[in-house]
Amino acid sequence: MRILHLLNHTRRLNGHVHAAVDLACQQAQAGHRVAIASQGGDFDALLRSNGVESIFASHARTPARILTSFLGCGGVLRRWGPDVVHAHMMTSAVLAWPTCKLLRVPLVTTVHNEFEKGAVLMGLGTRVIAVSGAVAASMRKRGIAASRIDVVLNGTIGSARMRGRSEEPQALDHPAIVFVGGLHPRKGLPDLLQAFDKAFPHNRAMRLYVVGGGPHRDAYEQTARTLACADAITFAGPRDDPYRWMLGADIFVLPSHADPAPLVLSEAREAGCAIVGTDVDGIPELLDGGRAGILVPANDPDKLAQALITLTTDPSALGALRAKSQINLDHLRIARVADETLTVYRRAAGLAG
């Protein structure tokens, strides 16, 4: 099958880019002819080394350049001749839709962030992939027919991005609690800082490591400095390979207020962390309904603190939760994601029911 992925760019530190790159490489490995048309970025070399063609396509949206972007994406589609076009961002879907209609090529879209105002534009697709059941429900509420939506839960295990990574755990003090994510309000880091401050008196050996960068880093560091446990909190900054920190962790915490289907949970589970996540969006699905981790309410530092106290004062509880993180782990493999996505392509082309 000739598969053309469209996305704004291929830069790191964007979850939807990681998901698209993982999928494209897996599809090429399975024998399909695969290309990504974008404005380029950090992953282009990885794509080429895995047999995925990189094509430049402007995604500029300014009034002066939008026509150039329309014509450019249309030209890529005409020249490359895909059997299916897979758009991963709203701009990509809008730019591809007219030419797909004209050439009668099925357009598949993936909704990675349904909370964005323009996410309804992903309904331009012949088929719409939701990265979790929660995202599918949100898109149905926005008016996209359930008959056009397919759920393909995110998963990264075994992906090309992960090959050759270091398997050496980061040296951390224990019990080590690790957060990996962007430092902006949606990820709920202030809740974790408050919860850690409440839990710390119960075990003063515990340490919190914050891995990631973002626009609110300075504010969050200032908040941490005001806490009694400030010396036990380390802001490690953004890392190209945060997996080592997960390997070194005892507990991985994702206190998000909104998170459609965070890829980081696949990695944290693969690393064998005990996992605590908020009961929002796709997080419960990635934790096997709560069997593979503890689910706590969002915006509730007290409940989060209770979970941290239990896990850092009861070694048996910690060990049991680390073991539970391995429940149904194979479901988070990229091979399963690619297989299910291929079924969606065939459905979009009228080849499957």
Side-chain angles (χ1 to χ4, degrees), residues 23 106 134 228 248 255 294 347:
L23 177 60
I294 295 175
R347 192 169 292 146

Side-chain angles (χ1 to χ4, degrees), residues 169-181 183 189 192 196 206-212 232-234 236-237 239 241-255 264-265 267-268 271 273-277 304 308 312 318 322:
Q170 181 73 25
L172 306 176
D173 293 325
H174 299 276
I177 301 165
V178 168
F179 164 92
V180 176
L183 302 188
L189 182 60
L192 176 54
F196 184 76
M206 71 173 72
R207 296 292 182 266
L208 173 61
Y209 299 90
V210 177
V211 181
I233 301 173
T234 299
R239 303 281 170 158
D241 183 11
Y243 186 66
R244 291 187 61 219
W245 295 77
M246 298 181 218
L247 286 173
D250 298 297
I251 304 163
F252 180 86
V253 180
L254 190 61
V264 70
L265 285 180
E267 297 178 60
C273 300
I275 298 175
V276 182
L304 181 51
L308 296 181
T312 55
L318 177 62
R322 296 188 76 153

Side-chain angles (χ1 to χ4, degrees), residues 2-350:
R2 292 177 66 86
I3 303 164
L4 178 64
H5 293 273
L6 281 178
L7 57 160
N8 295 18
H9 59 80
T10 56
R11 296 193 294 272
R12 292 183 185 273
L13 304 179
N14 290 88
H16 47 279
V17 172
H18 294 179
V21 167
D22 290 349
L23 177 60
C25 291
Q26 184 67 27
Q27 290 169 335
Q29 182 178 319
H32 301 284
R33 180 78 181 274
V34 186
I36 285 185
S38 75
Q39 295 179 135
D42 309 304
F43 284 121
D44 289 350
L46 174 70
L47 291 167
R48 287 192 295 271
S49 69
N50 281 275
V52 178
E53 185 178 350
S54 292
I55 304 170
F56 179 83
S58 173
H59 279 63
R61 295 178 293 179
T62 60
R65 300 179 64 187
I66 187 66
L67 180 59
T68 299
S69 296
F70 266 117
L71 296 175
C73 283
V76 170
L77 265 67
R78 288 184 176 88
R79 291 191 300 273
W80 205 77
D83 297 314
V84 63
V85 174
H86 191 159
H88 294 266
M89 299 180 183
M90 289 173 284
T91 301
S92 302
V94 171
L95 293 177
W97 182 76
T99 304
C100 284
K101 281 289 187 183
L102 182 65
L103 299 180
R104 296 183 178 180
V105 175
L107 172 64
V108 172
T109 60
T110 290
V111 183
H112 295 280
N113 294 322
E114 95 288 353
F115 51 79
E116 294 181 347
K117 291 181 179 179
V120 69
L121 292 172
M122 302 307 273
L124 292 170
T126 311
R127 305 291 309 178
V128 178
I129 293 176
V131 295
S132 66
V135 170
S138 175
M139 298 310 291
R140 289 194 297 270
K141 290 179 181 178
R142 291 175 179 231
I144 297 177
S147 60
R148 293 200 296 119
I149 300 174
D150 298 279
V151 176
V152 179
L153 185 67
N154 275 343
T156 65
I157 297 175
S159 68
R161 278 189 308 115
M162 306 303 177
R163 294 179 202 137
R165 68 187 175 187
S166 173
E167 298 290 334
E168 181 68 25
Q170 181 73 25
L172 306 176
D173 293 325
H174 299 276
I177 301 165
V178 168
F179 164 92
V180 176
L183 302 188
H184 47 77
R186 181 171 64 85
K187 290 294 185 178
L189 182 60
D191 296 339
L192 176 54
L193 294 175
Q194 290 182 50
F196 184 76
D197 190 46
K198 293 174 183 291
F200 185 71
H202 296 266
N203 184 344
R204 294 182 177 275
M206 71 173 72
R207 296 292 182 266
L208 173 61
Y209 299 90
V210 177
V211 181
H216 293 265
R217 178 176 176 177
D218 289 345
Y220 293 161
E221 288 190 5
Q222 177 59 37
T223 296
R225 284 194 289 268
T226 68
L227 302 176
C229 60
D231 290 342
I233 301 173
T234 299
F235 282 79
R239 303 281 170 158
D240 286 341
D241 183 11
Y243 186 66
R244 291 187 61 219
W245 295 77
M246 298 181 218
L247 286 173
D250 298 297
I251 304 163
F252 180 86
V253 180
L254 190 61
S256 302
H257 296 169
D259 231 332
L263 298 176
V264 70
L265 285 180
S266 294
E267 297 178 60
R269 288 185 58 182
E270 185 181 9
C273 300
I275 298 175
V276 182
T278 43
D279 192 5
V280 297
D281 297 336
I283 291 176
E285 296 168 62
L286 288 164
L287 294 180
D288 215 53
R291 291 197 304 151
I294 295 175
L295 293 171
V296 298
N299 292 285
D300 195 335
D302 289 338
K303 291 288 179 61
L304 181 51
Q306 290 172 20
L308 296 181
I309 291 167
T310 297
L311 294 173
T312 55
T313 60
D314 185 347
S316 64
L318 177 62
L321 193 60
R322 296 188 76 153
K324 287 180 179 179
S325 72
Q326 305 305 293
I327 291 173
N328 202 22
L329 191 60
D330 280 348
H331 191 63
L332 299 182
R333 291 193 170 276
I334 188 62
R336 187 268 308 163
V337 175
D339 288 344
E340 292 182 6
T341 301
L342 185 61
T343 297
V344 176
Y345 292 168
R346 289 172 173 159
R347 192 169 292 146

